[in-house]
Amino acid sequence: MVTNIALAVSTYLFNINFMHFYGEDGVAAITIVMYFQFVLNAILFGYASGVAPIISYKYGEDNTIELKKIHHHNMVFVLVVSLLSYVIGLLASDFVIGVFCERGSNVFNIAESGFPLYALAFIFMGVAIYASSLFTALSNGKISALISFIRTFLCQVIALI
């Protein structure tokens, strides 16, 4: 719920800001950049959802040795995927943007110039998604919701305002 509300509010704020500074081309540009983020989010949410039952099971067993191993492997995976997403995003941004608009167009130029800045979020996104899922798996919904709220709503709204 928090993620969906935050997505609606942040998309609205992105659109207002980009419309103000860049017009319709800016809104189109941020939409293209956000498509890449949605693919990354799907991978990270899928992974986090897949490992949560394993974490819950080991937590229920009170098997701290296995929990630590699983957590370590998950953190390594999430960090590698996050860093790779950042690097791939930078290297493939021309191609990704070019799928949606013509190279050299105003939309392309806006998206291309802003993509490296936006892609920095990819580095942190994975850890936050995993952390929220981890606390849900550990039966701590309050911390999970707080992490999700900070990641998807608070930080973005503050940055956009």
Side-chain angles (χ1 to χ4, degrees):
M1 178 186 82
V2 172
T3 300
N4 288 329
I5 290 170
L7 179 63
V9 171
S10 63
T11 299
Y12 175 73
L13 291 173
F14 268 118
N15 287 345
I16 286 176
N17 281 332
F18 276 76
M19 190 66 150
H20 174 74
F21 290 106
Y22 300 104
E24 293 173 2
D25 289 346
V27 173
I30 191 61
T31 302
I32 292 167
V33 173
M34 290 177 83
Y35 283 155
F36 190 85
Q37 177 199 347
F38 292 145
V39 171
L40 171 61
N41 278 352
I43 293 166
L44 293 168
F45 275 117
Y47 182 80
S49 296
V51 298
I54 298 166
I55 293 168
S56 290
Y57 184 81
K58 295 299 178 184
Y59 178 69
E61 273 187 335
D62 200 26
N63 190 340
T64 55
I65 293 169
E66 283 295 313
L67 269 173
K68 286 179 183 180
K69 276 194 227 175
I70 291 167
H71 176 65
H72 175 74
H73 291 300
N74 289 339
M75 284 301 297
V76 168
F77 177 83
V78 166
L79 289 171
V80 167
V81 167
S82 297
L83 289 171
L84 278 175
S85 296
Y86 173 70
V87 171
I88 291 169
L90 293 180
L91 296 175
S93 62
D94 284 358
F95 172 76
V96 171
I97 297 165
V99 167
F100 296 99
C101 63
E102 188 176 323
R103 292 183 194 285
S105 68
N106 196 33
V107 172
F108 185 91
N109 293 336
I110 294 168
E112 183 183 44
S113 67
F115 196 91
L117 180 62
Y118 192 88
L120 286 171
F122 299 165
I123 297 170
F124 306 102
M125 221 179 328
V127 173
I129 289 170
Y130 170 69
S132 179
S133 180
L134 173 68
F135 282 102
T136 298
L138 297 175
S139 299
N140 194 335
K142 289 179 183 176
I143 297 294
S144 175
L146 182 63
I147 291 169
S148 184
F149 174 76
I150 291 169
R151 177 185 69 82
T152 61
F153 189 79
L154 189 63
C155 290
Q156 283 193 30
V157 168
I158 289 170
L160 288 168
I161 289 174

